[in-house]
Amino acid sequence: MNSQNDEIKKDYDFINESLINVYDSIMRIEESEIRKSRFKDITAKEVHLVHTIGLHDRKTTSQVAHILKLSKGTLTANLNNLERKGYVMRIPNVEDHRIINLGLTSKGRLLYRAHDAFHKLLVQRFLKGFGDSEIHLIKQAMVNLEEFIDEVSAK
Amino acid sequence: MNSQNDEIKKDYDFINESLINVYDSIMRIEESEIRKSRFKDITAKEVHLVHTIGLHDRKTTSQVAHILKLSKGTLTANLNNLERKGYVMRIPNVEDHRIINLGLTSKGRLLYRAHDAFHKLLVQRFLKGFGDSEIHLIKQAMVNLEEFIDEVSAK
DNA sequence: CAATTTAGTTTGAATATCAAACTAAATTTC
DNA sequence: GAAATTTAGTTTGATATTCAAACTAAATTG
């Protein structure tokens, strides 16, 4: 049946365009949500860094640079800004004096939780109207995508 | 039942982290795919611009800047690069001499199609193993997300 | 036809990024 | 256990990107 195939093609095309649009849009609305919040001195990129440091507490600078795929120099520059603004702490490692461990300040944790709450809201809306099994299905699609990404990255 | 709820929470958390990771990863693999292709002189951002111009043929500079949410000055700079590299054409408008319409060169169209093919592959993998009704469901989730984005952007 | 508006470019400043050189600390080697 | 090597993080210098505001040229309005 042809109208049926047309439907499927439309879904494909929509999902394709959506995947491209979504991240840009998310970054943009995160930026605008930040502007309305009490944390006005921070960019969406910096929130991303705060999120990563919050998620991976007390990791070294090199480890965080690797996770974020940033050069060490770039991360140093970002850390200087976030430390100055009071979101991130550099914690000298007592066992190995070359190492700096990273953590959030209490202000950083506040930002982390606000950002996390916003993302939870986002996911709730993403999954609005779906039941458990459907959610599981959508999760599987994300797994597919990550597998593809890993595959292509590896080769 | 608690283990059931744990499952759902896990799905939520996974989808949350995934949404954050995916775009960064997509940009990165696009960059690395470009490096392997015949189009080595171009960044993922520039491909994005070529995609947009290809999708919206003969639009004016201002229209494209609006679509991409870039300032006109930024777009001018990008166009200079893409014109120099031979992907994009500036077409002076005969009716209104202030207006420049944008289009792809044949090299630009080649890049457009290569990029499009890669994205189709990506979506295929995203949807691997799903039937038509399931795909429709995933599309609906993307619609939800775009609705949320529009809502938050508007307010 | 002078004043205003519009489309796109130029300019100057701010920011982000990277790779390479560098510094200090830890580990390995002889 | 001192010298050589490796490792962690910072600094440096160059290049990219972006924006807003000033600017130029063309079109429209009053």
Side-chain angles (χ1 to χ4, degrees):
Chain A
M1 206 203 291
N2 224 8
S3 69
Q4 173 73 0
N5 283 337
D6 284 1
E7 266 311 302
I8 293 305
K9 187 174 178 317
K10 262 194 224 155
D11 286 349
Y12 256 81
D13 289 349
F14 184 89
I15 291 168
N16 196 357
E17 275 302 309
S18 242
L19 279 176
I20 302 166
N21 290 333
V22 150
Y23 176 92
D24 264 4
S25 309
I26 291 178
M27 283 306 258
R28 217 173 337 264
I29 58 179
E30 286 201 345
E31 200 88 48
S32 87
E33 290 294 307
I34 291 161
R35 294 288 148 269
K36 286 178 227 149
S37 77
R38 97 200 83 167
F39 310 104
K40 295 193 202 305
D41 60 347
I42 202 157
T43 66
K45 261 181 197 167
E46 288 177 319
V47 174
H48 188 49
L49 218 171
V50 167
H51 173 84
T52 304
I53 293 174
L55 213 56
H56 305 276
D57 196 42
R58 305 294 142 126
K59 286 260 190 301
T60 69
T61 301
S62 293
Q63 287 171 330
V64 172
H66 181 76
I67 291 166
L68 290 168
K69 272 116 180 167
L70 291 175
S71 73
K72 295 186 297 174
T74 300
L75 184 57
T76 294
N78 282 301
L79 289 175
N80 291 341
N81 292 332
L82 286 172
E83 199 175 48
R84 179 171 41 76
K85 293 177 189 174
Y87 293 99
V88 164
M89 284 186 302
R90 282 179 163 107
I91 305 148
N93 186 296
V94 236
E95 261 127 56
D96 185 334
H97 293 308
R98 293 169 307 177
I99 292 175
I100 304 280
N101 293 106
L102 301 177
L104 299 182
T105 62
S106 55
K107 187 179 173 193
R109 278 193 299 277
L110 278 177
L111 174 60
Y112 178 85
R113 283 197 291 272
H115 174 249
D116 199 49
F118 177 75
H119 261 276
K120 288 220 161 71
L121 189 62
L122 186 92
V123 174
Q124 262 172 37
R125 285 296 302 266
F126 182 52
L127 301 175
K128 195 181 76 172
F130 297 124
D132 294 354
S133 68
E134 292 167 325
I135 289 172
H136 195 68
L137 197 111
I138 289 164
K139 182 226 168 187
Q140 193 50 50
M142 302 303 289
V143 172
N144 285 346
L145 195 52
E146 296 209 343
E147 274 172 12
F148 177 66
I149 287 165
D150 288 346
E151 224 171 86
V152 178
S153 310
K155 81 172 176 201
Chain B
M1 207 204 291
N2 223 10
S3 68
Q4 173 72 2
N5 282 338
D6 283 1
E7 266 312 302
I8 294 305
K9 188 177 178 314
K10 262 195 227 156
D11 286 349
Y12 255 82
D13 289 348
F14 184 90
I15 290 167
N16 195 357
E17 276 301 309
S18 243
L19 279 176
I20 301 165
N21 290 332
V22 149
Y23 175 91
D24 265 4
S25 310
I26 290 178
M27 284 304 259
R28 216 172 339 264
I29 58 178
E30 286 201 346
E31 200 89 47
S32 86
E33 290 295 306
I34 292 161
R35 293 290 147 266
K36 286 178 227 149
S37 77
R38 95 200 84 168
F39 310 104
K40 295 192 202 306
D41 60 346
I42 202 158
T43 65
K45 259 180 200 169
E46 288 176 320
V47 174
H48 188 47
L49 218 171
V50 167
H51 174 83
T52 304
I53 293 174
L55 213 57
H56 304 277
D57 196 42
R58 305 295 141 124
K59 286 259 189 301
T60 69
T61 302
S62 293
Q63 287 170 331
V64 172
H66 180 77
I67 292 167
L68 290 168
K69 273 116 179 165
L70 291 175
S71 73
K72 294 186 299 175
T74 300
L75 185 57
T76 294
N78 282 299
L79 289 175
N80 290 341
N81 292 332
L82 285 172
E83 199 175 48
R84 180 172 40 75
K85 292 178 188 173
Y87 294 99
V88 165
M89 284 185 302
R90 282 178 162 109
I91 304 147
N93 187 295
V94 236
E95 261 127 56
D96 186 334
H97 293 308
R98 293 169 307 176
I99 291 176
I100 304 280
N101 293 105
L102 301 177
L104 298 183
T105 62
S106 55
K107 187 179 172 193
R109 279 193 299 276
L110 278 177
L111 174 60
Y112 178 85
R113 284 196 292 271
H115 174 249
D116 200 50
F118 177 75
H119 261 277
K120 289 220 160 71
L121 189 62
L122 187 92
V123 175
Q124 263 171 37
R125 285 297 302 267
F126 182 52
L127 301 174
K128 194 181 77 172
F130 297 124
D132 294 353
S133 68
E134 291 167 326
I135 288 171
H136 195 68
L137 196 112
I138 289 164
K139 182 225 167 186
Q140 193 51 49
M142 302 302 290
V143 172
N144 285 346
L145 195 53
E146 296 209 343
E147 274 172 13
F148 177 66
I149 287 165
D150 288 345
E151 224 171 87
V152 177
S153 310
K155 81 171 177 203

